[in-house]
Amino acid sequence: MKKFKLKFKAGFTLIETLVAVTILSAAVAGPMVLSIKSISSASVSQDQLVAFYLGQEVIEYVRNVRDTNLINSSGDWLNGLNDCEISGSAGCYIDVIKNPVTVTDCEVACSNKLKFDGTNYNYTSVSDTNFIRTVKITRLTADEAQIDVKVEWTGKYGAKTMTLQDNIFNWR
C-alpha cells in the first residue's frame, strides 16, 4: 500500500482570515466612531456660537440706543425700547437688520423664529431657522437697567436655551 503524503500549501486558513478581518474591522471602526462624534460636537458648537452672537447682537443694539439717546439728550435714556420693558410683557423682538430697526412687543409669548438670508439673521427673510430670540429689559433703578436675552433653538440633540444678561447704566 502506498502512503500518500499530503502537501499543504502555504496560505491562510479560514480561522486566520476571520481573525485578520476582525482586527481590521476594529481598527477601522474606532476612528470612524470618533470622527462621527467630532462632527456631531462641531454641529452643536456651531449652534451655540450662533446663539451667543444673536444674543450679543441685541445687547450691542440696546447699548447703542442708550448711547444715542444720551448723546442727543432725547429724554429717557432707554427711549425706543419701551416695548422690551417687562412690566406685564413677555419681552420683545428686535430686528437690528431692518432699516429702520423694529422693536416689537411679544405681548403673550415670543415665538417668532429668526430667518436667515444667507448673510444675516432677521425676521423678514424667507428661510426659517431654529432660533427664537427674546429680549427683556428691567429697570433696576433710575440709572440702571438689566438686559436679558434668551435664545432658544432645537438642535440635533433636542431643545437648547442660551441666556445672556447684562446691566447697563445711564452714564450721564
Side-chain angles (χ1 to χ4, degrees):
M1 195 186 254
K2 287 186 178 180
K3 289 189 177 179
F4 291 101
K5 277 190 171 182
L6 295 173
K7 292 183 180 177
F8 292 106
K9 293 184 179 178
F12 292 111
T13 65
L14 182 59
I15 294 175
E16 290 173 323
T17 305
L18 287 174
V19 168
V21 167
T22 302
I23 291 171
L24 182 63
S25 297
V28 170
M32 291 294 283
V33 168
L34 286 176
S35 64
I36 289 169
K37 292 284 186 188
S38 295
I39 291 170
S40 296
S41 294
S43 174
V44 170
S45 296
Q46 180 183 7
D47 286 347
Q48 288 175 337
L49 190 62
V50 168
F52 174 76
Y53 282 130
L54 288 171
Q56 189 63 33
E57 176 183 50
V58 171
I59 290 174
E60 293 299 325
Y61 174 74
V62 171
R63 287 180 183 160
N64 183 40
V65 167
R66 177 222 31 211
D67 293 344
T68 303
N69 287 336
L70 291 174
I71 289 170
N72 295 336
S73 299
S74 58
D76 185 19
W77 61 287
L78 290 177
N79 187 29
L81 298 170
N82 301 335
D83 285 339
C84 294
E85 292 194 50
I86 63 166
S87 56
S89 172
C92 71
Y93 302 116
I94 299 178
D95 192 348
V96 298
I97 302 301
K98 195 172 182 182
N99 191 9
V101 173
T102 57
V103 179
T104 308
D105 188 357
C106 291
E107 295 175 10
V108 178
C110 289
S111 59
N112 247 3
K113 288 188 175 184
L114 282 159
K115 299 173 182 354
F116 187 64
D117 65 7
T119 305
N120 297 308
Y121 287 85
N122 56 52
Y123 292 101
T124 57
S125 295
V126 177
S127 180
D128 269 350
T129 65
N130 289 328
F131 295 98
I132 298 172
R133 177 174 62 192
T134 307
V135 182
K136 296 179 182 179
I137 298 175
T138 308
R139 288 186 194 244
L140 302 175
T141 65
D143 291 327
E144 181 181 7
Q146 179 177 308
I147 308 165
D148 291 300
V149 181
K150 182 168 75 170
V151 181
E152 301 171 274
W153 72 98
T154 303
K156 196 171 195 171
Y157 299 108
K160 303 283 184 190
T161 301
M162 179 176 287
T163 304
L164 286 86
Q165 185 179 74
D166 193 19
N167 286 19
I168 60 172
F169 298 90
N170 179 356
W171 44 264
R172 279 236 168 139

